[in-house]
């Protein structure tokens, strides 16, 4: 057990034409636009090996989500039975961490353009991880 | 921009035979043992639809990681050139969120047994998400 609070420090922010949660696509491959990840200068040394044309996992903090929700109708569709949030991709959940698989389109210093990101403008970015290849390629 | 701290609330904890970071496998498919996720009672309503035999994504907080590291030798191998952490799966990174793809082996109330988890005993669990199928299966 630990008793210090687990505090996230955003490493950057999403810059996107998506500003209205009610009009945003539910997943990146459902018509989400290109967006920019704008990183904080203090993490620049961590970014050097990112390359355009590669796919990465982006972790965000879904800051407009509700954290007191444990059951939802999947995809907001009330004809579908209520389901525990840990069996859905609902943004509403106790720790609203967004996971997005995106392709890097372009890199301009601390700004990284990615394809098909469904996160809203202003969303904090928490982490970027490579997609793991087979055990021989690590 | 937001000015309130982003504070994670663990939803559970890992119970594992892995206690020594220096002896833990680097990835789940590199010989990691079975482990139990022990969830907090307050999130039980979110768990009801988890099923043995399915694969899920587990998010953890790698509480023994260093947060001030931006460049590492991949896999701790000093013959490999230093690389920005956002191009590696190093646990050491500004926000040490662990992402683990695991198969659920058994469920016993608030306890969920999973196969091949490389997280250490006592690691906080943050979230569980389903693996997304194709756009027709959501």
């Amino acid at each position: 057990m630990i008793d210090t609070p687990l505090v996230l420090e955003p490493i950057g922010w999403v810059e996107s034409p998506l500003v209205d949660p009610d009009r945003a696509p539910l997943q990146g491959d459902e018509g989400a636009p290109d967006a920019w990840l704008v990183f904080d200068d203090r993490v620049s040394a961590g970014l050097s090996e990112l390359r355009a044309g590669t796919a990465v996992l982006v972790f965000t903090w879904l800051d407009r989500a509700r954290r007191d929700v444990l059951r939802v109708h999947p995809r907001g569709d009330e004809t579908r039975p209520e389901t525990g949030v840990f069996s859905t991709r609902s943004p509403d959940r106790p720790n609203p961490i967004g996971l997005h698989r995106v392709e890097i389109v372009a890199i301009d210093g601390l700004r990284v353009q990615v394809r098909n990101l469904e996160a809203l403008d202003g969303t904090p970015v928490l982490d970027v991880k490579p997609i793991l290849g087979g055990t021989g390629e690590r």
Side-chain angles (χ1 to χ4, degrees), chain A:
Chain A
M1 291 285 176
I2 45 178
D3 42 20
T4 48
L6 311 184
V7 180
L8 297 163
E9 300 285 347
I11 60 170
W13 311 84
V14 171
E15 222 177 73
S16 168
L18 292 177
V19 293
D20 179 352
D22 295 330
R23 300 182 61 182
L26 297 179
Q27 297 295 333
D29 59 0
E30 299 176 15
D34 292 0
W36 288 90
L37 310 177
V38 184
F39 288 95
D40 195 292
D41 181 57
R42 76 188 157 78
V43 301
S44 63
L47 301 168
S48 320
E49 285 78 16
L50 296 182
R51 294 288 176 265
T54 61
V56 294
L57 300 176
V58 175
F59 293 68
T60 61
W61 183 253
L62 304 171
D63 57 329
R64 276 149 279 193
R66 288 181 53 189
R67 302 185 66 176
D68 59 348
V69 170
L70 290 170
R71 297 188 69 75
V72 295
H73 296 286
R75 300 176 61 83
D77 177 352
E78 301 207 350
T79 68
R80 293 172 67 169
E82 273 201 345
T83 304
V85 290
F86 304 123
S87 296
T88 81
R89 287 293 188 110
S90 168
D92 299 325
R93 54 206 310 122
N95 293 300
I97 298 169
L99 174 67
H100 319 268
R101 185 190 164 120
V102 296
E103 184 190 336
I104 297 177
V105 180
I107 298 176
D108 177 16
L110 293 168
R111 299 170 57 83
V112 174
Q113 190 179 29
V114 298
R115 206 179 290 291
N116 298 343
L117 182 67
E118 77 276 21
L120 297 170
D121 187 55
T123 299
V125 177
L126 302 177
D127 199 8
V128 177
K129 295 189 201 289
I131 291 169
L132 276 185
T135 50
E137 307 165 14
R138 296 173 188 171

